[in-house]
Amino acid sequence: MKPLLINGIWKETASGIPNINPSDTTDTIDVYSQAGVNETNQAILAAATAFSEWSHTSPQVRHDILSRVAREIFSRKEEIGELLSREEGKILSEGIAETTRAAQIFSFFAGEALRISGEKLASIRPGVEVDITREPVGVVGIITPWNFPIAIPAWKIAPALCYGNTVVMKPAELVPGCSWVIAEALQRAGVPAGVFNLVYGPGSIVGQAMLDNPSVDAITFTGSQATGKRVAESCVKHMRKMQLEMGGKNPLVVLDDADLDVAVDCAINGAFYSTGQRCTASSRLIVTEGIHDRFVEACVEHMNGLNVGHALHKDTQIGPVVDEVQLDQDMRYIDIAHKEGGNLRSGGDVISAATSGFFLRPTLITDTTPMMTINREEVFGPVASVIRARNYEEALDVSNDHEFGLSAGICTQSLKYASHFKRNSQAGMIMVNLPTAGVDYHVPFGGTKKSSYGSREQGSYAIEFFTQVKTSYTAP
Ligand code: ADP
């Protein structure tokens, strides 16, 4: 059984939960110790105790630890990528790519540790100098979802440690393995006891214990809107910093003048790769009249050729849905879309394969209207819907008419429309002739409206959340 990590000590608990492969439910990856409220509070106490010393370490120390983690993850990317695909279900090449990205994130923040800067200004009072410096926030609680089991933990853990914070990390129940790999790499890299703590368990117990503990100074969360609200309430109650990422209902606008092949590639990749289980997935395909029928035909043809199956099989392009609960949710939304008048144009059926997994054929629902449930709620599966629009203006209005605003894409060969869309789309990330999913690690990530709350994640913008600003005045 894999233990928790509390105050630098690996700790097995009485209860453990098996980590099951969604491509093959007879494959148990490992059993992971479960924390309760006590263990969670011990981890928070350890992080609070370790903060004073860690926050004053030389940036070189933090750089070296993060670099070692980056190197270890990169050198083991095939093995870790396979573990990732086994526990989450994305295909092996995606698992390895995500692992590589996690290594790059650690490497990026290793460098950032050496670049923490401040400002010096003359005061408005003669002779007085003003320094503006950045300091770590304290104990950071990290709560992550299952869909990017190594990249999301990496892009929260690496900046937290880089800027001198200590961490209590709780990954999603379905993907304990990748966080364990990071914890092990951090231990080997020499992270001091208590600086990084890992606890497993249900959100309602372990996550909630983090929310309830006043010694947690900041929480960074990625997950559902409902849980995000709970996190926010707890952060207001305890007057602490928060950073929330809560999903999307991302539009991909396809205009008459789009290159059809590019548009279809963007739609297929954005909607169905990683089994559509990305918060940046294209779920609303908003297509103008003149290209609509050709676009739908070409998508269906492409979808018919997609290979759905075991994530580790070399020909597989689309892996399984993460578990039975998610599969039921996907099927329920497909059913609702059908009942509300959508036309099930492709997919929608569960596939039986050689192994017992949760295989859903990528699903395209056409003839939908903007207010149908399928266009309002996040499905989080390989399901996309098509909305017909009269022209660019209507497509833009429909794309913006949503409470979410994470990522938005447009396929067009017109500079005029591309530029207008970049300025007027109400999303945090805009993609022109690219899938809505798939972002760089060195630039900000985050959305508008109900997708995100707080400052941006990733790249040099991460400093906003993981530090606080101090202004010092010195008289001569
Ligand atoms: P998803 O639909 O992606 O599973 P959730 O919001 O349920 O989204 O889960 C995201 C993360 O939030 C997971 O790590 C989960 O365990 C955690 N979580 C769920 N409920 C709570 C809660 N009440 N308090 C804190 N964390 C929670």
Side-chain angles (χ1 to χ4, degrees):
M1 182 155 79
K2 289 276 194 289
L4 315 173
L5 179 62
I6 299 175
N7 204 17
I9 296 165
W10 295 109
K11 186 173 170 168
E12 260 191 37
T13 56
S15 63
I17 299 264
N19 185 10
I20 306 287
N21 181 348
S23 296
D24 178 358
T25 54
T26 64
D27 177 24
T28 298
I29 298 157
D30 213 325
V31 177
Y32 289 80
S33 290
Q34 298 294 290
V37 174
N38 279 347
E39 286 84 5
T40 309
N41 288 337
Q42 284 165 19
I44 294 166
L45 179 63
T49 310
F51 176 68
S52 169
E53 204 172 321
W54 177 249
S55 61
H56 289 101
T57 46
S58 154
Q60 186 69 51
V61 171
R62 303 200 296 272
H63 167 276
D64 291 349
I65 289 173
L66 296 176
S67 286
R68 282 184 214 117
V69 173
R71 278 198 297 277
E72 170 164 351
I73 292 176
F74 189 74
S75 67
R76 293 172 55 203
K77 63 181 188 298
E78 276 87 11
E79 169 213 337
I80 300 170
E82 183 176 324
L83 166 69
L84 195 167
S85 295
R86 244 177 110 199
E87 70 174 357
E88 197 270 350
K90 63 184 68 173
I91 60 172
L92 186 56
S93 57
E94 290 174 331
I96 295 172
E98 186 184 328
T99 305
T100 304
R101 180 164 164 208
Q104 288 164 332
I105 290 166
F106 273 98
S107 181
F108 178 87
F109 284 106
E112 289 295 275
L114 300 171
R115 287 189 284 266
I116 304 168
S117 62
E119 288 177 70
K120 197 176 197 71
L121 284 83
S123 166
I124 53 170
R125 286 170 276 175
V128 173
E129 284 184 343
V130 184
D131 296 312
I132 303 168
T133 50
R134 287 192 177 269
E135 297 188 343
V137 180
V139 175
V140 175
I142 298 181
I143 302 176
T144 54
W146 48 261
N147 64 328
F148 282 91
I150 197 160
I152 294 181
W155 83 52
K156 295 180 189 289
I157 295 167
L161 298 180
C162 157
Y163 297 116
N165 302 282
T166 55
V167 168
V168 177
M169 154 96 203
K170 190 209 94 63
E173 295 86 318
L174 292 174
V175 291
C178 288
S179 292
W180 204 85
V181 166
I182 296 180
E184 210 190 10
L186 276 162
Q187 283 290 94
R188 267 199 280 271
V191 76
V195 169
F196 177 82
N197 304 274
L198 176 65
V199 283
Y200 294 124
S204 57
I205 298 172
V206 173
Q208 192 62 44
M210 284 168 74
L211 306 192
D212 293 342
N213 192 315
S215 298
V216 176
D217 299 298
I219 295 187
T220 174
F221 164 85
T222 303
S224 65
Q225 214 182 14
T227 309
K229 277 190 186 152
R230 298 180 80 105
V231 175
E233 280 160 15
S234 86
C235 289
V236 169
K237 181 169 165 210
H238 295 289
M239 303 281 268
R240 64 181 161 219
K241 270 185 120 169
M242 61 175 135
Q243 180 180 53
L244 314 173
E245 291 296 341
M246 295 164 291
K249 191 73 199 171
N250 310 291
L252 176 71
V253 169
V254 178
L255 296 187
D256 286 356
D257 72 358
D259 177 315
L260 186 64
D261 292 341
V262 169
V264 171
D265 277 354
C266 288
I268 300 291
N269 179 313
F272 305 126
Y273 279 39
S274 298
T275 321
Q277 298 176 148
R278 299 187 278 194
C279 42
T280 48
S282 318
S283 48
R284 294 183 293 146
L285 309 176
I286 305 165
V287 188
T288 50
E289 299 274 20
I291 196 169
H292 178 278
D293 294 355
R294 283 182 291 138
F295 172 80
V296 169
E297 277 306 319
C299 281
V300 170
E301 196 187 323
H302 199 119
M303 289 170 72
N304 288 339
L306 287 174
N307 217 334
V308 183
H310 195 297
L312 296 178
H313 291 177
K314 85 175 178 2
D315 295 330
T316 302
Q317 290 164 290
I318 310 286
V321 169
V322 74
D323 71 355
E324 196 167 3
V325 176
Q326 184 62 48
L327 182 61
D328 287 348
Q329 173 167 316
D330 297 351
M331 296 306 289
R332 189 164 50 79
Y333 275 116
I334 294 169
D335 189 46
I336 293 172
H338 185 60
K339 288 196 173 118
E340 289 184 7
N343 176 19
L344 183 54
R345 193 55 205 276
S346 187
D349 51 323
V350 174
I351 303 168
S352 50
T355 52
S356 62
F358 309 106
F359 304 109
L360 172 61
R361 204 181 298 281
T363 304
L364 191 69
I365 300 156
T366 59
D367 304 300
T368 70
T369 53
M371 297 314 286
M372 286 181 179
T373 308
I374 194 70
N375 289 319
R376 304 320 296 172
E377 297 179 17
E378 190 176 34
V379 178
F380 224 70
V383 181
S385 51
V386 181
I387 303 170
R388 196 188 285 262
R390 274 192 307 278
N391 51 32
Y392 167 73
E393 286 72 23
E394 188 180 78
L396 176 67
D397 284 351
V398 170
S399 75
N400 281 337
D401 180 21
H402 206 281
E403 62 172 6
F404 284 132
L406 188 57
S407 179
I410 187 165
C411 291
T412 178
Q413 298 189 73
S414 151
L415 184 60
K416 179 179 121 186
Y417 289 131
S419 308
H420 190 272
F421 190 77
K422 281 199 277 184
R423 274 199 307 276
N424 293 285
S425 173
Q426 296 165 0
M429 294 175 294
I430 311 295
M431 308 289 179
V432 178
N433 294 322
L434 287 167
T436 55
V439 295
D440 290 2
Y441 66 86
H442 66 305
V443 290
F445 177 96
T448 60
K449 301 193 258 188
K450 292 197 174 140
S451 286
S452 304
Y453 190 93
S455 53
R456 290 284 185 261
E457 302 201 74
Q458 301 206 54
S460 53
Y461 284 65
I463 199 169
E464 293 300 333
F465 178 71
F466 291 100
T467 64
Q468 53 196 338
V469 169
K470 179 180 274 178
T471 313
S472 311
Y473 297 81
T474 312

